[in-house]
Amino acid sequence: MNHPKEERTLVVIKPDGVQRSLIGEIIGRFEKVGLKLVAIKMLVPTPGHIEEHYTLDPEWKRITGEKRVKAAKEKGEKLETEDPFKITDKILEVLIKYMTSGPVVAMVWQGAHSTELVRKIVGGTEPRSSDVGTIRGDYVLDSYIMADTDSRAIRNLIHASGSSKESEAEIKHWFTPEEITDYKLVSEQILYDVNLDGILE
Ligand code: AMP
């Protein structure tokens, strides 16, 4: 088994995150928790790239549709359909439009529990109900109702992989091995060293 500190995860700052000038703020949050940036690039994704990205996980359609149904039940909203697959077919259409509307910043972050930590820092899908202190909770106000009313995707600044398995597949989808840099950060010594030798002179 690899050491937990080697876990890597994919983060994409979506077009609204770039347009809101939040690149530095978002990167800063991951740096401050102790994660290491090992790959980064700006690009305008193609529709095909985004469709493939969201369908890498065969469960994505069901899970995303079910999340929408659960949110509607909690708020007493009535949806046109409760079939998770019908809901996600529509979401995928508007998502492709959203994600290809401008440049995004794709990154790979490495560190212990990186997938879980990044998800915690990013917050839940719907910014309206994301916790205060998370990136989505602090920097944006979108909701399922607004997205549905205007037939568009939820603008929530960031994509973050949902599990370690997803992280692996998504990193491969966005980066070649040559684009990822292996290096040591001096701060890793205080985060991971067993004996903490070499601090005192
Ligand atoms: P997720 O994999 O849960 O992050 O979903 C992918 C992205 O699709 C989200 O980050 C939102 O931008 C968008 N999205 C998810 N669910 C909905 C929804 N019910 N309505 C509109 N957009 C959505």
Side-chain angles (χ1 to χ4, degrees):
M1 192 188 102
N2 287 346
H3 192 281
K5 70 182 180 189
E6 287 166 25
E7 184 176 321
R8 289 175 167 173
T9 195
L10 180 88
V11 174
V12 181
I13 304 179
K14 296 178 176 180
D16 53 329
V18 173
Q19 295 303 320
R20 297 273 315 280
S21 303
L22 288 170
I23 299 171
E25 181 62 39
I26 291 167
I27 288 179
R29 294 255 181 146
F30 301 135
E31 282 185 322
K32 282 189 197 99
V33 82
L35 296 175
K36 174 168 70 174
L37 183 62
V38 294
I40 182 164
K41 63 182 169 190
M42 177 178 268
L43 69 154
V44 181
T46 62
H49 187 78
I50 295 303
E51 178 158 6
E52 274 170 39
H53 164 87
Y54 281 108
T55 48
L56 281 173
D57 174 9
E59 290 287 10
W60 179 81
K61 284 198 162 189
R62 183 182 58 77
I63 294 169
T64 305
E66 285 176 359
K67 258 200 245 177
R68 179 66 187 104
V69 174
K70 185 166 171 268
K73 289 215 165 104
E74 281 167 9
K75 296 254 163 18
E77 267 176 70
K78 196 138 178 42
L79 296 177
E80 266 174 37
T81 170
E82 291 204 354
D83 177 342
F85 294 96
K86 282 199 186 129
I87 293 174
T88 341
D89 281 345
K90 181 84 210 322
I91 293 175
L92 191 56
E93 222 180 277
V94 289
L95 244 182
I96 291 172
K97 215 167 142 200
Y98 165 41
M99 291 295 288
T100 59
S101 65
V104 304
V105 176
M107 301 176 280
V108 180
W109 287 89
Q110 181 175 328
H113 320 296
S114 54
T115 309
E116 192 184 314
L117 276 181
V118 162
R119 297 280 288 193
K120 185 174 77 165
I121 294 166
V122 167
T125 302
E126 186 195 32
R128 173 190 186 180
S129 50
S130 315
D131 290 332
V132 172
T134 64
I135 297 171
R136 288 170 175 164
D138 286 355
Y139 294 114
V140 72
L141 44 65
D142 212 3
S143 64
Y144 283 127
I145 291 189
M146 291 217 295
D148 284 356
T149 305
D150 297 336
S151 298
R152 60 166 176 77
I154 288 218
R155 293 179 191 150
N156 56 9
L157 306 172
I158 296 171
H159 165 78
S161 307
S163 64
S164 317
K165 206 171 130 229
E166 224 176 274
S167 294
E168 260 180 57
E170 292 186 353
I171 289 169
K172 277 199 197 117
H173 184 61
W174 287 80
F175 289 92
T176 62
E178 296 73 36
E179 289 175 314
I180 302 174
T181 308
D182 287 312
Y183 68 101
K184 274 199 182 65
L185 265 187
V186 283
S187 59
E188 284 177 282
Q189 205 178 343
I190 201 70
L191 294 172
Y192 304 122
D193 249 24
V194 179
N195 297 318
L196 294 179
D197 292 332
I199 294 175
L200 289 175
E201 291 190 330

Short mmCIF file of all heavy atoms in Angstrom, two decimals, residues 142-187:
data_model
loop_
_atom_site.label_atom_id
_atom_site.label_comp_id
_atom_site.label_asym_id
_atom_site.label_seq_id
_atom_site.Cartn_x
_atom_site.Cartn_y
_atom_site.Cartn_z
N ASP A 142 -25.26 30.43 -5.36
CA ASP A 142 -26.19 29.79 -6.29
C ASP A 142 -27.03 28.69 -5.60
O ASP A 142 -26.70 28.22 -4.52
CB ASP A 142 -25.41 29.20 -7.47
CG ASP A 142 -26.22 29.24 -8.75
OD1 ASP A 142 -27.36 29.75 -8.72
OD2 ASP A 142 -25.73 28.74 -9.78
N SER A 143 -28.12 28.30 -6.28
CA SER A 143 -29.00 27.27 -5.70
C SER A 143 -29.59 26.40 -6.81
O SER A 143 -29.60 26.78 -7.98
CB SER A 143 -30.14 27.94 -4.94
OG SER A 143 -30.95 28.68 -5.84
N TYR A 144 -30.14 25.24 -6.41
CA TYR A 144 -30.82 24.36 -7.36
C TYR A 144 -31.99 25.11 -8.00
O TYR A 144 -32.23 25.01 -9.20
CB TYR A 144 -31.35 23.12 -6.64
CG TYR A 144 -30.31 22.08 -6.30
CD1 TYR A 144 -30.17 21.60 -5.00
CD2 TYR A 144 -29.48 21.54 -7.29
CE1 TYR A 144 -29.22 20.62 -4.69
CE2 TYR A 144 -28.53 20.57 -6.99
CZ TYR A 144 -28.42 20.11 -5.68
OH TYR A 144 -27.49 19.15 -5.39
N ILE A 145 -32.73 25.87 -7.18
CA ILE A 145 -33.91 26.56 -7.71
C ILE A 145 -33.51 27.57 -8.79
O ILE A 145 -34.12 27.65 -9.85
CB ILE A 145 -34.68 27.27 -6.57
CG1 ILE A 145 -35.30 26.20 -5.68
CG2 ILE A 145 -35.74 28.23 -7.11
CD1 ILE A 145 -36.26 26.69 -4.65
N MET A 146 -32.44 28.33 -8.54
CA MET A 146 -32.01 29.31 -9.55
C MET A 146 -31.56 28.60 -10.82
O MET A 146 -31.87 29.02 -11.94
CB MET A 146 -30.87 30.17 -9.01
CG MET A 146 -31.32 31.12 -7.91
SD MET A 146 -30.49 32.68 -8.02
CE MET A 146 -28.82 32.16 -7.67
N ALA A 147 -30.81 27.50 -10.65
CA ALA A 147 -30.33 26.77 -11.82
C ALA A 147 -31.50 26.21 -12.63
O ALA A 147 -31.53 26.33 -13.85
CB ALA A 147 -29.39 25.64 -11.37
N ASP A 148 -32.49 25.63 -11.93
CA ASP A 148 -33.66 25.07 -12.63
C ASP A 148 -34.46 26.16 -13.32
O ASP A 148 -34.89 26.01 -14.46
CB ASP A 148 -34.57 24.34 -11.63
CG ASP A 148 -34.01 22.99 -11.24
OD1 ASP A 148 -32.95 22.61 -11.79
OD2 ASP A 148 -34.60 22.32 -10.37
N THR A 149 -34.69 27.28 -12.61
CA THR A 149 -35.50 28.37 -13.16
C THR A 149 -34.90 28.86 -14.47
O THR A 149 -35.61 29.15 -15.43
CB THR A 149 -35.57 29.54 -12.15
OG1 THR A 149 -36.06 29.03 -10.93
CG2 THR A 149 -36.49 30.65 -12.63
N ASP A 150 -33.59 28.96 -14.51
CA ASP A 150 -32.93 29.51 -15.69
C ASP A 150 -32.37 28.42 -16.61
O ASP A 150 -31.59 28.72 -17.52
CB ASP A 150 -31.81 30.47 -15.26
CG ASP A 150 -32.37 31.68 -14.51
OD1 ASP A 150 -33.55 32.00 -14.72
OD2 ASP A 150 -31.63 32.28 -13.70
N SER A 151 -32.73 27.16 -16.37
CA SER A 151 -32.23 26.02 -17.17
C SER A 151 -30.73 26.08 -17.38
O SER A 151 -30.24 26.13 -18.52
CB SER A 151 -32.92 25.97 -18.54
OG SER A 151 -34.26 25.80 -18.39
N ARG A 152 -30.01 26.11 -16.31
CA ARG A 152 -28.54 26.14 -16.40
C ARG A 152 -27.94 25.30 -15.29
O ARG A 152 -28.66 24.83 -14.39
CB ARG A 152 -28.04 27.58 -16.32
CG ARG A 152 -28.41 28.30 -15.03
CD ARG A 152 -27.60 29.58 -14.85
NE ARG A 152 -27.99 30.34 -13.68
CZ ARG A 152 -27.64 30.04 -12.43
NH1 ARG A 152 -26.93 28.96 -12.17
NH2 ARG A 152 -28.01 30.80 -11.42
N ALA A 153 -26.60 25.13 -15.35
CA ALA A 153 -25.92 24.36 -14.30
C ALA A 153 -25.73 25.22 -13.06
O ALA A 153 -25.68 26.45 -13.16
CB ALA A 153 -24.56 23.90 -14.81
N ILE A 154 -25.60 24.56 -11.93
CA ILE A 154 -25.29 25.28 -10.69
C ILE A 154 -23.87 25.82 -10.81
O ILE A 154 -22.95 25.09 -11.18
CB ILE A 154 -25.34 24.32 -9.50
CG1 ILE A 154 -26.78 23.96 -9.21
CG2 ILE A 154 -24.67 24.92 -8.28
CD1 ILE A 154 -27.09 23.85 -7.75
N ARG A 155 -23.71 27.10 -10.51
CA ARG A 155 -22.36 27.69 -10.56
C ARG A 155 -21.76 27.60 -9.16
O ARG A 155 -22.12 28.37 -8.27
CB ARG A 155 -22.44 29.13 -11.06
CG ARG A 155 -22.89 29.12 -12.51
CD ARG A 155 -23.02 30.47 -13.14
NE ARG A 155 -23.70 30.30 -14.41
CZ ARG A 155 -24.48 31.21 -14.99
NH1 ARG A 155 -24.66 32.37 -14.41
NH2 ARG A 155 -25.06 30.96 -16.14
N ASN A 156 -20.84 26.66 -9.02
CA ASN A 156 -20.29 26.42 -7.68
C ASN A 156 -18.75 26.43 -7.65
O ASN A 156 -18.13 25.80 -6.81
CB ASN A 156 -20.87 25.13 -7.09
CG ASN A 156 -20.64 23.92 -7.97
OD1 ASN A 156 -19.92 24.01 -8.96
ND2 ASN A 156 -21.24 22.81 -7.63
N LEU A 157 -18.16 27.15 -8.58
CA LEU A 157 -16.73 27.53 -8.58
C LEU A 157 -15.71 26.42 -8.83
O LEU A 157 -14.68 26.67 -9.45
CB LEU A 157 -16.33 28.22 -7.27
CG LEU A 157 -17.15 29.43 -6.83
CD1 LEU A 157 -16.73 29.87 -5.42
CD2 LEU A 157 -16.98 30.59 -7.79
N ILE A 158 -15.99 25.21 -8.33
CA ILE A 158 -14.93 24.19 -8.32
C ILE A 158 -15.50 22.81 -8.61
O ILE A 158 -16.61 22.49 -8.17
CB ILE A 158 -14.30 24.12 -6.90
CG1 ILE A 158 -13.62 25.43 -6.58
CG2 ILE A 158 -13.30 22.98 -6.76
CD1 ILE A 158 -13.18 25.52 -5.14
N HIS A 159 -14.70 21.98 -9.28
CA HIS A 159 -14.97 20.55 -9.29
C HIS A 159 -13.91 19.86 -8.44
O HIS A 159 -12.73 20.19 -8.55
CB HIS A 159 -14.92 19.96 -10.71
CG HIS A 159 -14.84 18.46 -10.67
ND1 HIS A 159 -15.95 17.68 -10.42
CD2 HIS A 159 -13.78 17.61 -10.74
CE1 HIS A 159 -15.57 16.41 -10.38
NE2 HIS A 159 -14.26 16.34 -10.57
N ALA A 160 -14.30 18.92 -7.62
CA ALA A 160 -13.34 18.13 -6.84
C ALA A 160 -13.74 16.66 -6.93
O ALA A 160 -14.92 16.32 -6.80
CB ALA A 160 -13.36 18.59 -5.39
N SER A 161 -12.77 15.78 -7.14
CA SER A 161 -13.07 14.35 -7.26
C SER A 161 -13.78 13.83 -6.01
O SER A 161 -13.48 14.26 -4.90
CB SER A 161 -11.77 13.54 -7.42
OG SER A 161 -11.00 14.02 -8.47
N GLY A 162 -14.70 12.85 -6.23
CA GLY A 162 -15.54 12.38 -5.14
C GLY A 162 -14.97 11.26 -4.30
O GLY A 162 -15.40 11.04 -3.17
N SER A 163 -14.00 10.51 -4.83
CA SER A 163 -13.42 9.40 -4.07
C SER A 163 -12.01 9.15 -4.60
O SER A 163 -11.64 9.67 -5.65
CB SER A 163 -14.25 8.13 -4.29
OG SER A 163 -14.17 7.76 -5.66
N SER A 164 -11.23 8.33 -3.88
CA SER A 164 -9.86 8.06 -4.32
C SER A 164 -9.85 7.40 -5.71
O SER A 164 -9.01 7.70 -6.55
CB SER A 164 -9.13 7.14 -3.36
OG SER A 164 -9.38 7.51 -2.05
N LYS A 165 -10.84 6.51 -5.93
CA LYS A 165 -10.91 5.82 -7.22
C LYS A 165 -11.20 6.83 -8.34
O LYS A 165 -10.58 6.81 -9.41
CB LYS A 165 -12.02 4.76 -7.15
CG LYS A 165 -11.80 3.62 -8.09
CD LYS A 165 -12.81 2.51 -7.83
CE LYS A 165 -13.44 2.11 -9.15
NZ LYS A 165 -14.89 2.06 -9.12
N GLU A 166 -12.14 7.72 -8.05
CA GLU A 166 -12.49 8.76 -9.02
C GLU A 166 -11.30 9.68 -9.27
O GLU A 166 -11.05 10.09 -10.41
CB GLU A 166 -13.63 9.58 -8.43
CG GLU A 166 -14.74 9.89 -9.40
CD GLU A 166 -15.87 10.61 -8.66
OE1 GLU A 166 -16.72 9.90 -8.10
OE2 GLU A 166 -15.87 11.86 -8.64
N SER A 167 -10.56 10.00 -8.21
CA SER A 167 -9.39 10.88 -8.35
C SER A 167 -8.42 10.30 -9.38
O SER A 167 -7.96 10.99 -10.28
CB SER A 167 -8.63 11.02 -7.02
OG SER A 167 -9.42 11.69 -6.09
N GLU A 168 -8.14 9.01 -9.23
CA GLU A 168 -7.18 8.36 -10.14
C GLU A 168 -7.63 8.47 -11.59
O GLU A 168 -6.86 8.85 -12.48
CB GLU A 168 -7.07 6.89 -9.78
CG GLU A 168 -5.84 6.57 -8.95
CD GLU A 168 -5.80 5.10 -8.62
OE1 GLU A 168 -5.82 4.27 -9.56
OE2 GLU A 168 -5.77 4.78 -7.42
N ALA A 169 -8.89 8.13 -11.84
CA ALA A 169 -9.42 8.15 -13.21
C ALA A 169 -9.44 9.58 -13.75
O ALA A 169 -9.08 9.84 -14.91
CB ALA A 169 -10.81 7.55 -13.23
N GLU A 170 -9.83 10.53 -12.92
CA GLU A 170 -9.95 11.92 -13.39
C GLU A 170 -8.58 12.56 -13.65
O GLU A 170 -8.42 13.33 -14.59
CB GLU A 170 -10.75 12.74 -12.36
CG GLU A 170 -12.20 12.29 -12.30
CD GLU A 170 -13.07 13.16 -11.41
OE1 GLU A 170 -12.54 14.06 -10.72
OE2 GLU A 170 -14.29 12.94 -11.40
N ILE A 171 -7.59 12.23 -12.81
CA ILE A 171 -6.24 12.77 -13.03
C ILE A 171 -5.74 12.30 -14.40
O ILE A 171 -5.21 13.07 -15.19
CB ILE A 171 -5.28 12.36 -11.89
CG1 ILE A 171 -5.65 13.12 -10.61
CG2 ILE A 171 -3.82 12.63 -12.27
CD1 ILE A 171 -4.95 12.62 -9.35
N LYS A 172 -5.98 11.02 -14.70
CA LYS A 172 -5.55 10.48 -16.00
C LYS A 172 -6.28 11.15 -17.15
O LYS A 172 -5.74 11.30 -18.24
CB LYS A 172 -5.84 8.97 -16.06
CG LYS A 172 -4.78 8.14 -15.41
CD LYS A 172 -4.88 6.69 -15.91
CE LYS A 172 -4.10 5.80 -14.98
NZ LYS A 172 -4.90 4.80 -14.29
N HIS A 173 -7.51 11.55 -16.91
CA HIS A 173 -8.31 12.18 -17.96
C HIS A 173 -7.82 13.60 -18.26
O HIS A 173 -7.93 14.08 -19.38
CB HIS A 173 -9.79 12.20 -17.52
CG HIS A 173 -10.72 12.74 -18.55
ND1 HIS A 173 -10.89 12.15 -19.78
CD2 HIS A 173 -11.55 13.82 -18.54
CE1 HIS A 173 -11.76 12.85 -20.48
NE2 HIS A 173 -12.19 13.87 -19.76
N TRP A 174 -7.27 14.29 -17.26
CA TRP A 174 -6.88 15.70 -17.43
C TRP A 174 -5.38 15.90 -17.63
O TRP A 174 -4.98 16.94 -18.17
CB TRP A 174 -7.36 16.52 -16.22
CG TRP A 174 -8.84 16.74 -16.19
CD1 TRP A 174 -9.79 15.85 -15.78
CD2 TRP A 174 -9.55 17.92 -16.61
NE1 TRP A 174 -11.04 16.41 -15.90
CE2 TRP A 174 -10.94 17.67 -16.40
CE3 TRP A 174 -9.16 19.17 -17.12
CZ2 TRP A 174 -11.93 18.62 -16.70
CZ3 TRP A 174 -10.16 20.10 -17.40
CH2 TRP A 174 -11.51 19.82 -17.20
N PHE A 175 -4.56 14.98 -17.14
CA PHE A 175 -3.10 15.19 -17.18
C PHE A 175 -2.37 13.97 -17.71
O PHE A 175 -2.74 12.83 -17.41
CB PHE A 175 -2.56 15.49 -15.77
CG PHE A 175 -2.96 16.85 -15.26
CD1 PHE A 175 -4.10 17.01 -14.50
CD2 PHE A 175 -2.18 17.97 -15.55
CE1 PHE A 175 -4.49 18.26 -14.02
CE2 PHE A 175 -2.56 19.23 -15.09
CZ PHE A 175 -3.71 19.38 -14.32
N THR A 176 -1.26 14.23 -18.46
CA THR A 176 -0.36 13.13 -18.83
C THR A 176 0.62 12.97 -17.66
O THR A 176 0.82 13.93 -16.89
CB THR A 176 0.46 13.48 -20.10
OG1 THR A 176 1.26 14.64 -19.79
CG2 THR A 176 -0.43 13.80 -21.27
N PRO A 177 1.25 11.80 -17.52
CA PRO A 177 2.19 11.62 -16.40
C PRO A 177 3.30 12.67 -16.42
O PRO A 177 3.75 13.13 -15.36
CB PRO A 177 2.77 10.22 -16.64
CG PRO A 177 1.76 9.52 -17.49
CD PRO A 177 1.07 10.56 -18.30
N GLU A 178 3.72 13.12 -17.61
CA GLU A 178 4.81 14.11 -17.72
C GLU A 178 4.41 15.47 -17.17
O GLU A 178 5.25 16.29 -16.84
CB GLU A 178 5.25 14.31 -19.19
CG GLU A 178 5.85 13.08 -19.86
CD GLU A 178 4.81 12.01 -20.18
OE1 GLU A 178 3.66 12.36 -20.54
OE2 GLU A 178 5.13 10.81 -20.04
N GLU A 179 3.13 15.74 -17.11
CA GLU A 179 2.67 17.05 -16.61
C GLU A 179 2.60 17.10 -15.08
O GLU A 179 2.30 18.13 -14.50
CB GLU A 179 1.28 17.36 -17.18
CG GLU A 179 1.30 17.67 -18.66
CD GLU A 179 -0.11 17.85 -19.23
OE1 GLU A 179 -0.99 17.03 -18.92
OE2 GLU A 179 -0.32 18.82 -19.99
N ILE A 180 2.87 15.96 -14.44
CA ILE A 180 2.82 15.92 -12.97
C ILE A 180 4.26 15.86 -12.44
O ILE A 180 5.06 15.08 -12.91
CB ILE A 180 2.00 14.69 -12.50
CG1 ILE A 180 0.59 14.76 -13.10
CG2 ILE A 180 1.96 14.61 -10.98
CD1 ILE A 180 -0.28 13.55 -12.84
N THR A 181 4.56 16.76 -11.49
CA THR A 181 5.94 16.88 -10.99
C THR A 181 6.08 16.25 -9.61
O THR A 181 5.35 16.61 -8.69
CB THR A 181 6.33 18.37 -10.91
OG1 THR A 181 6.06 18.97 -12.18
CG2 THR A 181 7.80 18.53 -10.56
N ASP A 182 7.05 15.35 -9.48
CA ASP A 182 7.38 14.78 -8.16
C ASP A 182 8.42 15.67 -7.52
O ASP A 182 9.48 15.89 -8.11
CB ASP A 182 7.97 13.38 -8.32
CG ASP A 182 6.90 12.37 -8.71
OD1 ASP A 182 5.84 12.36 -8.08
OD2 ASP A 182 7.15 11.62 -9.67
N TYR A 183 8.15 16.21 -6.37
CA TYR A 183 9.15 17.01 -5.65
C TYR A 183 8.80 17.05 -4.17
O TYR A 183 7.69 16.68 -3.77
CB TYR A 183 9.21 18.45 -6.23
CG TYR A 183 7.97 19.28 -5.99
CD1 TYR A 183 7.94 20.24 -4.97
CD2 TYR A 183 6.82 19.12 -6.76
CE1 TYR A 183 6.80 21.02 -4.74
CE2 TYR A 183 5.67 19.89 -6.52
CZ TYR A 183 5.67 20.84 -5.52
OH TYR A 183 4.54 21.59 -5.29
N LYS A 184 9.79 17.51 -3.38
CA LYS A 184 9.55 17.62 -1.92
C LYS A 184 9.27 19.07 -1.56
O LYS A 184 9.92 19.97 -2.08
CB LYS A 184 10.82 17.20 -1.17
CG LYS A 184 10.93 15.74 -0.94
CD LYS A 184 11.94 15.46 0.19
CE LYS A 184 12.11 13.98 0.40
NZ LYS A 184 12.70 13.29 -0.76
N LEU A 185 8.34 19.27 -0.65
CA LEU A 185 8.12 20.61 -0.09
C LEU A 185 8.76 20.60 1.29
O LEU A 185 8.58 19.63 2.03
CB LEU A 185 6.64 20.85 0.11
CG LEU A 185 5.80 21.57 -0.93
CD1 LEU A 185 4.40 21.80 -0.38
CD2 LEU A 185 6.42 22.90 -1.34
N VAL A 186 9.44 21.69 1.69
CA VAL A 186 10.09 21.67 3.01
C VAL A 186 9.04 21.49 4.12
O VAL A 186 9.31 20.85 5.13
CB VAL A 186 10.97 22.91 3.28
CG1 VAL A 186 12.28 22.81 2.55
CG2 VAL A 186 10.27 24.19 2.91
N SER A 187 7.84 22.02 3.91
CA SER A 187 6.81 21.91 4.97
C SER A 187 6.38 20.47 5.22
O SER A 187 5.80 20.15 6.27
CB SER A 187 5.59 22.76 4.62
OG SER A 187 5.06 22.34 3.39
#
